[in-house]
Amino acid sequence: MVEQDDRLSRIFGALADPTRRDMVARLAAGDATVGELAAPYDVSLQAVSKHLKVLEEAGLVRRSRDAQRRPVHLEAEVFDLMTKWIERYQQQAEERYRRLDTVLARMQGQDSPTEISDPAEGAAG
Amino acid sequence: MVEQDDRLSRIFGALADPTRRDMVARLAAGDATVGELAAPYDVSLQAVSKHLKVLEEAGLVRRSRDAQRRPVHLEAEVFDLMTKWIERYQQQAEERYRRLDTVLARMQGQDSPTEISDPAEGAAG
DNA sequence: CGTTTACTCAACCTCATGGTTGAGCAAGAC
DNA sequence: GTCTTGCTCAACCATGAGGTTGAGTAAACG
């Protein structure tokens, strides 16, 4: 993660930590203060504060003010960005798989096998 | 990322790197060898090999054998795991937002404003 | 056989990450 | 004003990630 200036790297990087994912999961149910978020974990409040900074810089949460408290709010919109990235390549891969299936089915119907090492090679490069 | 024994941490961690995300993107179009994958990047082949190991351990790719070549294949199924995780909390957060909207609409219909500092506070805790 | 190709493994370096503790700061409580 | 609460900032430390180079391995080529 040496170069994570881009948005997606920050988002994926933020969610690569189980504690942070758990925080996101809990924040989906409702806003919470830093202290409330920290309670279940066996780490210092400062560590939790750091985690929140990572989530904030990734755009996953927003921190406001309420007296001494800093209520944390989940920004659900970033999920769209991730979903879009994932779905793009998921669909692409699935489509390729379907095409491969068609090719294989066509080959089975032929008489000469023609010695093909790996049908997928043609799509590489 | 001190503790990434769990599946999702490995997957998110693997995709937190722009080079690895690019590899995944290219692999979605078709299988490729390590050399082919390494070609566009300004890093050593060993570095690319390491990246592939990370992707493999996250279950994102599978490496087979073809003579000296090690064709890399994208495992699109893991995307389902990510999508499920994302959608779960995305929907939860959206639902909460809808409920909040309902509450706010109901309050506007009332006569006494009852001094509310931050509507989101009610969902915390 | 030796050479070339296509990689992986091992050692090392540097910097980021996640944790710690101690200090500081803002706002309500007394 | 002083105390307490709820946090952030700063310094430090250990580990891990991503990069390097050099050596080693497996299979095709000569």
Side-chain angles (χ1 to χ4, degrees):
Chain A
M1 245 158 295
V2 64
E3 188 206 319
Q4 62 175 33
D5 26 28
D6 68 300
R7 192 79 193 282
L8 275 171
S9 293
R10 276 206 155 89
I11 296 170
F12 281 121
L15 294 174
D17 185 278
T19 306
R20 283 194 295 256
R21 270 203 317 282
D22 192 63
M23 285 176 167
V24 167
R26 290 168 57 211
L27 285 167
D31 294 11
T33 66
V34 181
E36 285 165 350
L37 283 169
Y41 313 120
D42 194 24
V43 293
S44 67
L45 198 78
Q46 290 94 319
V48 172
S49 189
K50 271 195 187 182
H51 279 308
L52 285 168
K53 200 177 181 184
V54 173
L55 288 170
E56 190 177 36
E57 282 171 350
L60 277 156
V61 305
R62 188 163 31 86
R63 286 190 281 184
S64 48
R65 264 210 108 125
D66 169 31
Q68 314 105 297
R69 260 150 255 123
R70 310 266 183 303
V72 182
H73 176 80
L74 186 68
E75 298 277 15
E77 302 85 55
V78 286
F79 287 140
D80 295 338
L81 203 68
M82 302 183 72
T83 308
K84 262 174 202 148
W85 189 88
I86 292 165
E87 280 176 352
R88 181 173 173 179
Y89 301 114
Q90 188 174 29
Q91 282 165 14
Q92 218 174 311
E94 274 164 9
E95 198 190 310
R96 184 170 77 89
Y97 188 74
R98 272 195 300 277
R99 269 188 279 119
L100 186 64
D101 252 19
T102 314
V103 170
L104 286 170
R106 209 174 294 160
M107 287 202 303
Q108 285 210 331
Q110 284 184 342
D111 33 321
S112 53
T114 342
E115 182 62 56
I116 288 158
S117 58
D118 186 359
E121 272 190 331
Chain B
M1 247 157 293
V2 65
E3 188 204 322
Q4 60 176 32
D5 27 26
D6 69 299
R7 191 79 193 282
L8 275 169
S9 294
R10 276 208 155 88
I11 295 168
F12 280 120
L15 295 174
D17 185 278
T19 305
R20 284 194 295 256
R21 271 203 316 285
D22 192 63
M23 284 176 168
V24 167
R26 290 170 56 210
L27 284 167
D31 295 11
T33 66
V34 181
E36 284 166 351
L37 282 168
Y41 313 119
D42 196 24
V43 293
S44 65
L45 197 78
Q46 290 95 320
V48 172
S49 189
K50 271 195 187 182
H51 279 308
L52 285 168
K53 200 179 182 183
V54 174
L55 288 171
E56 189 178 36
E57 281 169 352
L60 277 156
V61 304
R62 187 164 33 84
R63 286 189 281 185
S64 48
R65 267 210 103 124
D66 170 30
Q68 315 103 297
R69 260 148 255 125
R70 309 265 182 305
V72 182
H73 176 81
L74 186 69
E75 298 276 16
E77 300 86 54
V78 287
F79 287 140
D80 295 338
L81 203 69
M82 302 183 73
T83 309
K84 262 175 202 147
W85 187 89
I86 292 166
E87 279 176 353
R88 180 172 172 179
Y89 301 113
Q90 189 174 28
Q91 281 165 13
Q92 218 173 311
E94 274 165 11
E95 198 189 311
R96 183 169 80 88
Y97 189 74
R98 272 196 300 276
R99 269 187 279 119
L100 187 65
D101 253 18
T102 314
V103 170
L104 286 170
R106 210 174 294 160
M107 287 200 306
Q108 285 211 332
Q110 285 183 343
D111 30 322
S112 55
T114 343
E115 182 61 57
I116 286 156
S117 59
D118 187 358
E121 271 188 330

